[in-house]
Amino acid sequence: MRIFLLTTLAMIALAANSVLNRMAIVQAGLDPVLLGIIRLSAGAAVLALLVLWQNRGFAVGGRSRVSGVVGLLVYIFGFSIAYQSMDTGAGALLLFGVVQITMFAAAVLRKDDMPLNRWLGAGMAFAGLAWLLWPSGEVAFSFPHAVSMALAGVGWGIYSLAGQKETDATQATAMNFIIAAPLSVLALLVLTVDFESINGFGIALAVTSGAITSGMGYALWYALIPSLGASKAAVTQLTVPIIATVGGLITLGEPITLKLTLASAIVLGGVWLSLLKLKRS
C-alpha cells in the first residue's frame, strides 16, 4: 500500500508538469526555452539545499549520471517546445507512449521477467490512450512539435532507466539537475529565444514546476523505480496522460467527454492487469 500511494503521488507530480508547462506557455506566454532553463535552475537550487540539509554530499557519479543528465536535458527542452502546439492530454499521451516503448525495449533487451499479464496490460493501457487521442477533427498534431515530444519521451525513458542504478535517489536527482542546469544555458546559443516573454506569472509557474513537481517529484520517482522495475515503471506512467488530461480540463477549460471516461477506465484497467501478481501453477 505504501508503494502504491507514493507511486500515485509521483504520477500526479509528473502530470502536474504537463499542466504547469502548458499554462506557462499558453496562458503566461513564456518562451519554452526560458521555461526549460528556469525549471532546471529552480529544481537544482531546491535539491542542492535539500542535499546540504541532509548532508548527503555531491558525488558526480559514473555512467548513470551521464545518462541521467543527457536524458533530463532532452526531456526538458523537447517537452517545453512541444507544448507550444500540443494540448495537455495529447502531449502527455505521446510522451508516455514513447516512454513505455523505450523502457519496455530496455526490459526486453536485459531479459527482465516479463509475464504475459504485463504484456497484455501494457497493450490494453496503450490501446486506451491511443483511442482517447486518436487524430481527429478535435485533436490536431503539428509534426515538428510531435517529434519534439517523442524525443522528450526517449529522454525521459533514458532518465528513468538511469534511476534504476542509483542507490541514493535524492542525491542522484540533485546531481542530475545541478549538472544539467548550467548546461541548459547553452540552448540560448542554438535556439531562438524571446526574452520579452519573461513575466511574473510565467516565472512562478516555471519555478513551481522545477522546484516541486520536477525536483521533488523526480527524487520520489527515482526512489520508487528500483522497486517497480523497468516494465512496471513504464506501464505505471501510462496513468499520467489521464491525470494530465483531467488537469487540463480543470485549468484550461477542456470539456469532459464520454470517450475520456471510457478510455480512462481502459488505461487504468490495463495498469491493474499489468501489475497484478499471478500465482504460478
Side-chain angles (χ1 to χ4, degrees):
M1 179 61 72
R2 177 176 175 273
I3 291 180
F4 172 79
L5 293 175
L6 291 176
T7 301
T8 299
L9 181 60
M11 295 306 98
I12 292 173
L14 296 183
N17 279 320
S18 291
V19 176
L20 291 169
N21 278 251
R22 182 70 172 152
M23 288 178 65
I25 293 171
V26 174
Q27 294 186 346
L30 185 63
D31 182 271
V33 176
L34 293 176
L35 169 59
I37 294 174
I38 295 171
R39 187 178 168 192
L40 282 168
S41 300
V46 169
L47 288 167
L49 291 175
L50 181 60
V51 168
L52 284 172
W53 178 58
Q54 297 180 341
N55 196 28
R56 292 177 180 268
F58 293 93
V60 174
R63 290 183 180 179
S64 60
R65 181 72 59 249
V66 175
S67 299
V69 170
V70 172
L72 182 60
L73 286 168
V74 172
Y75 157 72
I76 287 287
F77 287 109
F79 186 84
S80 297
I81 292 171
Y83 269 131
Q84 285 181 295
S85 171
M86 305 188 76
D87 63 32
T88 306
L93 164 66
L94 181 56
L95 174 72
F96 287 100
V98 174
V99 169
Q100 179 184 230
I101 293 171
T102 303
M103 296 187 71
F104 258 72
V108 171
L109 290 174
R110 292 189 315 211
K111 299 181 179 180
D112 288 359
D113 181 26
M114 298 285 287
L116 179 60
N117 66 294
R118 194 165 301 164
W119 286 100
L120 293 175
M124 179 178 172
F126 188 73
L129 288 172
W131 178 58
L132 170 63
L133 293 169
W134 188 263
S136 64
E138 298 178 356
V139 181
F141 292 94
S142 163
F143 182 73
H145 291 95
V147 171
S148 180
M149 188 61 86
L151 289 173
V154 173
W156 182 254
I158 292 172
Y159 182 82
S160 295
L161 290 167
Q164 289 186 299
K165 303 175 182 178
E166 300 290 355
T167 56
D168 187 332
T170 302
Q171 197 270 349
T173 307
M175 290 308 302
N176 287 336
F177 272 78
I178 290 170
I179 296 173
L183 291 177
S184 70
V185 180
L186 297 176
L188 299 175
L189 303 177
V190 296
L191 298 173
T192 302
V193 180
D194 180 13
F195 288 97
E196 294 183 358
S197 70
I198 296 176
N199 61 85
F201 182 42
I203 292 175
L205 290 169
V207 169
T208 301
S209 175
I212 301 175
T213 57
S214 292
M216 304 303 290
Y218 296 175
L220 174 59
W221 181 235
Y222 253 32
L224 292 169
I225 290 174
S227 299
L228 293 173
S231 58
K232 283 186 179 181
V235 177
T236 300
Q237 290 180 99
L238 285 175
T239 60
V240 174
I242 302 299
I243 302 171
T245 301
V246 173
L249 299 175
I250 296 172
T251 59
L252 301 172
E254 299 173 4
I256 297 177
T257 64
L258 177 61
K259 185 177 182 180
L260 170 63
T261 303
L262 294 176
S264 299
I266 294 173
V267 171
L268 295 175
V271 172
W272 174 82
L273 176 61
S274 179
L275 300 181
L276 191 64
K277 292 183 178 181
L278 300 178
K279 293 182 179 179
R280 298 181 182 272
S281 58

